[in-house]
Amino acid sequence: MSVISSLPIIDLTPFLTPTSTLSEKQEIAKALYTACHDVGFFYLTGHGVPEELQNEVLEAAREFFMTATQEEKQALERKEIDEGGDGARGWQKLGENITMGSGDWHEALDYYHPPLSDTSSGPPYDIVQGPNPWPEKPPHFRSLYEAYIAGLHTVGHALLRAMSLALSSTEDLFTPHLTSPFWCLRAIGYPPLPATSPGISCGAHTDYGCTTFLLADETRGALEVRDKQGGWIGVDPLKGAYVVNIGDMLEVWTNGLWKSTVHRVVHRGTGFRVSVPFFFEPDWDARVEPLQCCLEKTGGVRKYEAKVYGEHLAGRVKGNFYQGGPGKVLKD
Ligand SMILES: N=C(N)NCCCC[C@H](N)C(=O)O
Ligand SMILES: O=C(O)CCC(=O)C(=O)O
Ligand SMILES: [Fe+2]
């Protein structure tokens, strides 16, 4: 495995500054195109999210994982639909999230865009359409995370405008599909893998939507990205920057010009690693298909069928928990 400390660095400032010029934006868009095409992963700076807020978000997650009791965690646990949950939101214990047939060695709190259907009459909920369960401790957890999520919406919209300019002469290719962008936020806690375990902290996978903004603590040597030759590249955190990768919907929109890059986490270090990825996604009902400008750049042959984002997400979430299947064996 090779470690590169030099993923491309993209500075989003011109897309968040009303006075910036077209040529300033085009310069960034060009670098962004290369990063998305050649690697699929990059560091994002100039995003405007204060480092202090990022640190508070990481610390609140750490506090929850390290100090909440088993009962407090279970009160927030993810439940299957027939158990009154939505199969997606809430706390997952170690080994509960399945990737490629094995349980991942992490615990997590998963949150999503508020439900699109009315939940006032209670369960049963549709898949991913239940309420978000927030912890009572630390007391500011919910307000902190809601402020953080709001901030990342601004960044998500700006980055998608930059990506649009990278692919075409307009910033608005994706705008019609981002009227109420779906999102997911995971607060993840990774104890080190047991020394003798062949296991994995988070198995190889792609993300499902537009772009992921990964915030992680200072732990090194955990996240790995698959390169075009099939090898693994270690990606260490860069203070204040986000590690950004593209998701499945951008691969479809670009007709495969930009690939949704496979990544995994192998945390064999000593400390307890905390990461908080934010997934910025299309509208739940967005019909995603190769864009004309991308068809032209890829020889005119359509390589992907149209996909409805919400259906894609629901399918992936079901797969993550063997819903209704052998996943129940993993529960206490
Ligand atoms: N929203 C996202 N990306 N969640 C990723 C969860 C870990 C990978 C998942 N079990 C899988 O197999 O996709
Ligand atoms: O913790 C990380 O560095 C990445 C987590 C991840 O890939 C995911 O949750 O989709
Ligand atoms: Fe991921």
Side-chain angles (χ1 to χ4, degrees), residues 205 207 263 279:
H205 67 281
D207 294 339
H263 54 282
F279 305 91

Side-chain angles (χ1 to χ4, degrees), residues 25 33-34 49 56 60 70 73 92 104 121 160 171 179 182 212 228 231 240 261 263 277-278 293 303 307 318 329:
K25 289 181 176 179
Y33 184 97
T34 307
V49 179
E56 284 176 46
Q70 203 56 19
K73 289 181 176 179
Q92 302 148 37
D104 290 331
S121 58
L160 268 286
E171 291 182 33
T179 61
F182 211 75
T212 304
K228 305 265 176 211
T261 308
H263 54 282
F278 175 80
C293 63
K303 297 192 191 132
K307 262 188 183 141
K318 282 183 193 158
V329 175

Side-chain angles (χ1 to χ4, degrees), residues 47 53 75 81 94-95 100 108 120 163 166 219 245 255 310-311 318:
H47 47 68
L53 176 59
I81 287 167
L94 281 181
M100 298 207 306
S120 57
M163 287 180 162
T219 308
N245 61 285
N255 201 32
E311 289 171 10
K318 282 183 193 158

